[in-house]
Amino acid sequence: MNVDGKKYRTIWPAEDGGSVEIIDQTRFPYRFEIVSLRTVEDAAHAIRDMQVRGAPLIGATAAYGVALAMKADPSDENLHAACSALLQTRPTAVNLHWALDRALKSLVQVAPERRADAALELAAAVCDEDIAINMAIGMHGMKLVAALSATKRRGEPVNILTHCNAGWLATVDWGTATAPIYMAHDGGIPVHVWVDETRPRNQGAFLTAWELGQHGVPHTVVVDNAGGHLMQRGEVDMVIVGTDRTTATGDVCNKIGTYLKALAARDNDVPFYVALPSPTIDFSLSDGLREIPIEERGGEEVSRMSGRLSDGSVDTIDIVADGSEVGNPAFDVTPACLVTGLITERGVLEPNRKALADAFPERVRTRA
Amino acid sequence: MNVDGKKYRTIWPAEDGGSVEIIDQTRFPYRFEIVSLRTVEDAAHAIRDMQVRGAPLIGATAAYGVALAMKADPSDENLHAACSALLQTRPTAVNLHWALDRALKSLVQVAPERRADAALELAAAVCDEDIAINMAIGMHGMKLVAALSATKRRGEPVNILTHCNAGWLATVDWGTATAPIYMAHDGGIPVHVWVDETRPRNQGAFLTAWELGQHGVPHTVVVDNAGGHLMQRGEVDMVIVGTDRTTATGDVCNKIGTYLKALAARDNDVPFYVALPSPTIDFSLSDGLREIPIEERGGEEVSRMSGRLSDGSVDTIDIVADGSEVGNPAFDVTPACLVTGLITERGVLEPNRKALADAFPERVRTRA
């Protein structure tokens, strides 16, 4: 999407032909810096230190990491070493595992002298596939926005609330929850986005607000507490969020606080949509609340916050009374009964086992 | 309550007999400082600059401000001037108006040579009445905590979630939502409090966490997003919050985000209580959502945050992407249907017109 009027992806091969460039996301929202990855170690560092983040972008960066390794040394030994090193950066990231598995299986069948090119092509394909999925989500979701827009007076925007960052910065381009928003905006449908601050880590105020602002989409940042009130007052027409993991039955695991917004949406008859690329559906799970373990992250994400001081420098402050315990569950589960629809690359689906299985039959294990 | 093992109120006459002392709440949570008020101007400054906050404490400070004025000059002219100056500090504060009205009506009937003593007695009475109300709320609420404790294994705490600060720092002592908690804790009933950070202004992480910690009450600070998840996992036994204004029908206006917790409580069968001194009931209102205007406060409360830097100094950082709009509704309304009970000084009431009118018949206007 646009940054300061210029089109970007989050990762791309550099013009020199020998390196890959990324946007350094650790510098957001107060600096926009592009970083060159020249070696597989650079790629591993970018993933480990969260210069790149978001499942699809992590997968794409890993694929480019393999390409950089193959350019330096296309041997079988180095192929395995590169995949292994990249996998260690964030061992629990599903897309990382998937992208590396795919690269390894594909490249071992390629002769070493052709591996550098093949790896680069594979990485480009991983990126293009992510974009194709997100654009399909965007097209399906945009129809929902357009339908709401048709009920408005001319020029009056559709008010969309989103939580966390399921934006283009978490993918190669377009994002998931943001894809319908960007497509509607680019297509001339007036939209306005309520951006939840998204404590802790503040991905809404830092990332979603930044990317919407750069692309010119009207938006307002509010604290996470405000969404219910806005819905009570009729100021939200729809909610669109992303997801980290969705069950075969449509239960949605996403950033902590998503569930509260889903409850408020139901209480105020506001449609609540989840945008998801189908790889995030886990067809082995039936009950999100029972089966999805919720990661408890470090308390300093809650008790400390980084931002910009008046002299322009970025620093970190303490923001909890000394001596207090701090809890930090990172995700919550929104039961399928609170979800209006799942916006996938194959259409907007009802959140139930049959609808998901019908749309993705190849993903459902055949039972004897 | 206790601070570092020593009992305090938030305001008290100094031992020198000529001044009044307060805890400077603008320094929380990283400094505990006592400030002397020697003149009515000092009292006005303390209210205006929020060294004192919370409706009951503002009322008490105003009453002491009148006493300081009467000590300096007990004339009718100065009595009116003092009340007028104090009222200007925060014109919309209901308790401020009420305390000054009471002081004026009472003191004009007292001969000037007795006014200094009478004003001091009146201020002490305002404080004692606040404490009596909060202790009554505490006793009624403690029974609810005790009943839940009886369902637990020995030693297992009752988990209470609270939002914002309806603690002793907002009153003269005990607080409202915290009174049942302090009484249960002091009475040997094991409790543990989930303290919502409470964005913006962070009164939970700054004030509630500080006062619970100083008094030795086990507690854990969590972001506002976490409460629903905790309830889904059975980790919350009850919610107790305060209120700024409650309608005759039991609709509760309180800090933004309260409504989201009430929704989650209903969805998970967690009892949701509101602790309120009866002066916060507005018997002229029937429909909280329609009739209570919600204050939109300045965006810098959302886009900037103060805290302690690593060198120990307190500073303010920017925490929203540049150029983004910011919204800041300060309160929301929780409809009575989501409230389990109103903990008042006259008992735990059902949130409906009849129960409130029966408990406070003198407050209900007689209709011809």
Side-chain angles (χ1 to χ4, degrees), chain A residues 52-65:
Chain A
V52 292
R53 42 164 288 287
L57 177 54
I58 288 171
T61 307
Y64 273 115

Side-chain angles (χ1 to χ4, degrees), chain B residues 43-111:
Chain B
H45 172 266
I47 297 170
R48 192 185 304 110
D49 285 16
M50 298 183 75
Q51 290 181 318
V52 293
R53 41 165 288 287
L57 176 54
I58 288 171
T61 306
Y64 272 116
V66 174
L68 291 168
M70 292 303 92
K71 189 161 182 292
D73 167 6
S75 68
D76 276 15
E77 192 185 358
N78 195 43
L79 174 58
H80 282 93
C83 289
S84 171
L86 287 163
L87 189 59
Q88 290 312 309
T89 54
R90 292 189 70 186
T92 60
V94 175
N95 271 53
L96 181 62
H97 201 280
W98 166 85
L100 290 169
D101 202 46
R102 176 173 168 182
L104 188 60
K105 278 184 181 150
S106 157
L107 296 174
V108 288
Q109 300 177 37
V110 176

